[in-house]
Amino acid sequence: MYKTPCSRLSGLVGASVKQKLVQNVPRCSQTARSLLQLHRRDPSNWLTYQHLNFLKRQYVSKNNSELHQRAIPKRAPVLTIVDERDDSVERQVQRISAIDPLVAETVSEDETSKTQPEISTSKPMAEDAAVQNDTVSSTGLTQTETPHVNVETDEAREARLDKQWKQLKVDMEELPDVYARLAKIKLTALVVTTAAAGFAMAPVPFDPAMFFVACLGTGLASCTANSINQYFEVPFDSNMNRTKNRPLVRGQISPLHAVSFALACGVPGVALLTLVVNPLTGFLGALNIFLYTCCYTPLKRLSISNTWVGAAVGAIPPIMGWTAATGCLEPGALLLGGFLFSWQFPHFNALSWNLREDYSRGGYRMMSVTHPGMCKRVALRHSLGLIGLSSLAPVLDVTTWNFPVISLPINLYISYLAFRFYQKGDRSSARQLFFCSLWHLPMLLLLALTCKKPRRDPEDAALPPASLVS
């Protein structure tokens, strides 16, 4: 069959390419094997972040453009065995044979007196025997003695095993409790409560389905922020008595497990707030996660401004509840956020005052540690600010004028305790202010809800008064 020049040329090119590929196959396989051997030989030079190994380890640091694990597993102490057959020392020091105590007790005083003259007369023979004993002690005598082994007690063994790094084993029965402590379930419950109060205070009809979705998304976002916060603070939490029993510090779950839990909560939470509620609420939820994990958490070790950033994080959930109900940002939402912002200073400053030693060991720069005078002043200032914010609520058409009046007693009481804390600055006054703040916020939000201004529908406003209807 006749072939054209083009077909001949393509056949030649194909044959040459095939030949080159056949020649390069062994070379490529050899290169792949060498790369595998290199990675097995020196795994410390792997690209740690690209391989997600930094999630499997707790602490990773960068040194000379290479990532290494900071915490090196402790080696198990090896039992020291003293082998007395080693004659390196016996050549320099005269070996003394062991004396059996039972044989020594059977020797009587009469026998010792009889052997005394024999020893005195046979001194040269004893010297010769000593020389022979020196040579024998380095050969034959050491072969009959057993080496000395250091016996380890049960208590010492348990203490040694506790200090060793053990392989992580997750107990499935403990996972619900571990997840609850990883998400800081009490703090998450407080966040969901404030978001629910913001939803209920909004001047719109109450939608139960939207209310449930908004609370669920807010709770999931809070779980994400708290879990990532604990992941970043493992080496510092281990130095504090208040946080040394957290799941990551105790090794109940791996860091990769904790981050996976955070993603499993955060992605659906933000998606629910964005797609089901509205994009504004979803944006606020994602912003709150970012502020808590990427701003507040590192600032705790850099500046006392972390308290103000943390107060802003706590002020966002009631705003999210308001925007979930209305779909827009209004002055009433900012007022509720202001309540949470001011309330957190007497609450947290009183809490941190009695934990100054813990925060100092952890290396956190809190007002109670570095600026104790400012800590007391700020707590008093924002306690008095709650009175002003309560008076502003009816002005912004959020509540009736009854709210500033009925909320005045509890606002005055927390301000009085803050003033005592400012004057004394002792543990007792700080403790009283902290416990007062625990019931003050729910009571304040409940009073605001009872004094909520009745919603006026546009249809009702369009109707004429009843007296004008014929």
Side-chain angles (χ1 to χ4, degrees):
M1 189 175 180
Y2 177 73
K3 294 183 179 180
T4 61
C6 293
S7 62
R8 292 178 180 177
L9 180 61
S10 61
L12 292 174
V13 172
S16 62
V17 171
K18 182 178 180 181
Q19 184 178 2
K20 289 184 179 180
L21 289 176
V22 171
Q23 293 176 356
N24 290 333
V25 165
R27 189 180 305 172
C28 293
S29 61
Q30 183 179 3
T31 305
R33 285 196 299 270
S34 63
L35 288 175
L36 289 175
Q37 291 178 359
L38 177 62
H39 279 72
R40 290 175 182 173
R41 191 178 306 163
D42 193 5
S44 62
N45 291 327
W46 286 13
L47 297 177
T48 310
Y49 281 97
Q50 282 76 355
H51 285 268
L52 296 180
N53 282 344
F54 78 107
L55 296 179
K56 299 177 183 178
R57 300 169 182 171
Q58 290 185 356
Y59 325 121
V60 176
S61 63
K62 187 174 183 181
N63 186 15
N64 296 328
S65 300
E66 294 180 356
L67 294 172
H68 301 284
Q69 187 176 358
R70 185 178 298 171
I72 303 174
K74 298 180 181 179
R75 296 181 179 178
V78 182
L79 293 177
T80 57
I81 299 177
V82 181
D83 191 356
E84 297 183 357
R85 297 175 184 176
D86 187 7
D87 58 349
S88 59
V89 182
E90 295 175 358
R91 293 176 180 175
Q92 300 177 3
V93 182
Q94 181 178 0
R95 182 67 175 241
I96 301 176
S97 58
I99 300 175
D100 192 352
L102 296 177
V103 177
E105 291 177 359
T106 56
V107 179
S108 61
E109 296 180 356
D110 297 336
E111 293 178 351
T112 53
S113 61
K114 292 179 181 178
T115 54
Q116 281 181 356
E118 296 179 358
I119 294 175
S120 60
T121 54
S122 59
K123 187 178 292 185
M125 297 176 63
E127 292 178 356
D128 296 337
V131 175
Q132 293 179 0
N133 287 335
D134 291 339
T135 58
V136 171
S137 62
S138 61
T139 57
L141 185 61
T142 57
Q143 295 178 359
T144 60
E145 294 182 357
T146 58
H148 176 68
V149 180
N150 213 357
V151 180
E152 188 179 23
T153 61
D154 294 338
E155 293 79 3
R157 183 175 179 275
E158 291 179 0
R160 177 175 59 83
L161 292 178
D162 288 339
K163 294 179 181 179
Q164 286 183 356
W165 287 44
K166 296 176 280 293
Q167 186 179 2
L168 218 58
K169 293 182 180 179
V170 180
D171 191 356
M172 302 302 294
E173 296 180 355
E174 295 181 357
L175 271 185
D177 179 64
V178 169
Y179 287 154
R181 287 188 289 123
L182 189 65
K184 300 180 183 177
I185 195 65
K186 294 181 180 179
L187 179 59
T188 299
L190 177 62
V191 169
V192 173
T193 302
T194 57
F199 191 98
M201 287 294 296
V204 293
F206 184 78
D207 187 353
M210 193 65 68
F211 174 78
F212 174 76
V213 173
C215 291
L216 178 61
T218 304
L220 291 175
S222 176
C223 292
T224 299
N226 293 327
S227 301
I228 298 177
N229 169 264
Q230 292 189 45
Y231 168 75
F232 284 142
E233 293 185 342
V234 168
F236 317 116
D237 288 344
S238 60
N239 295 326
M240 300 172 59
N241 293 327
R242 188 173 67 97
T243 57
K244 65 182 180 181
N245 290 323
R246 286 179 173 176
L248 282 173
V249 178
R250 295 181 60 186
Q252 291 179 293
I253 59 173
S254 66
L256 178 60
H257 192 164
V259 174
S260 301
F261 170 75
L263 292 177
C265 293
V267 173
V270 176
L272 282 175
L273 294 175
T274 305
L275 302 177
V276 180
V277 183
N278 54 63
L280 177 59
T281 308
F283 168 75
L284 290 176
L287 177 64
N288 219 18
I289 295 175
F290 173 78
L291 289 177
Y292 192 77
T293 57
C294 299
C295 298
Y296 170 70
T297 300
L299 274 177
K300 289 168 70 175
R301 300 181 56 79
L302 298 177
S303 171
I304 61 172
S305 60
N306 68 83
T307 308
W308 281 267
V309 177
V313 171
I316 291 179
I319 301 177
M320 292 173 59
W322 186 289
T323 58
T326 63
C328 58
L329 196 60
E330 296 176 343
L334 299 179
L335 176 66
L336 293 178
F339 278 128
L340 266 295
F341 183 83
S342 293
W343 170 84
Q344 285 179 92
F345 286 96
H347 170 76
F348 181 74
N349 287 13
L351 172 66
S352 63
W353 188 265
N354 290 336
L355 298 174
R356 286 176 292 176
E357 295 82 3
D358 251 7
Y359 282 121
S360 180
R361 281 193 298 267
Y364 294 121
R365 296 184 64 83
M366 299 297 176
M367 276 190 289
S368 58
V369 177
T370 59
H371 299 75
M374 181 186 294
C375 177
K376 297 182 289 185
R377 289 195 304 270
V378 170
L380 176 60
R381 187 183 307 147
H382 284 273
S383 299
L384 295 173
L386 291 172
I387 302 176
L389 290 173
S390 300
S391 303
L392 193 61
V395 177
L396 296 177
D397 208 21
V398 177
T399 64
T400 62
W401 284 99
N402 295 329
F403 175 66
V405 178
I406 63 176
S407 63
L408 185 61
I410 62 173
N411 288 334
L412 286 177
Y413 184 67
I414 194 173
S415 300
Y416 165 71
L417 293 180
F419 180 71
R420 285 187 57 190
F421 172 61
Y422 171 75
Q423 278 189 325
K424 297 183 178 180
D426 56 356
R427 293 183 178 272
S428 177
S429 59
R431 192 179 301 109
Q432 290 179 359
L433 178 59
F434 171 72
F435 283 113
C436 174
S437 66
L438 292 179
W439 60 260
H440 176 272
L441 179 65
M443 184 66 68
L444 185 67
L445 295 177
L446 184 61
L447 292 176
L449 187 61
T450 56
C451 297
K452 175 186 174 182
K453 203 156 191 179
R455 180 180 58 86
R456 189 176 182 182
D457 296 331
E459 293 82 4
D460 297 339
L463 293 176
S467 60
L468 299 180
V469 178
S470 55

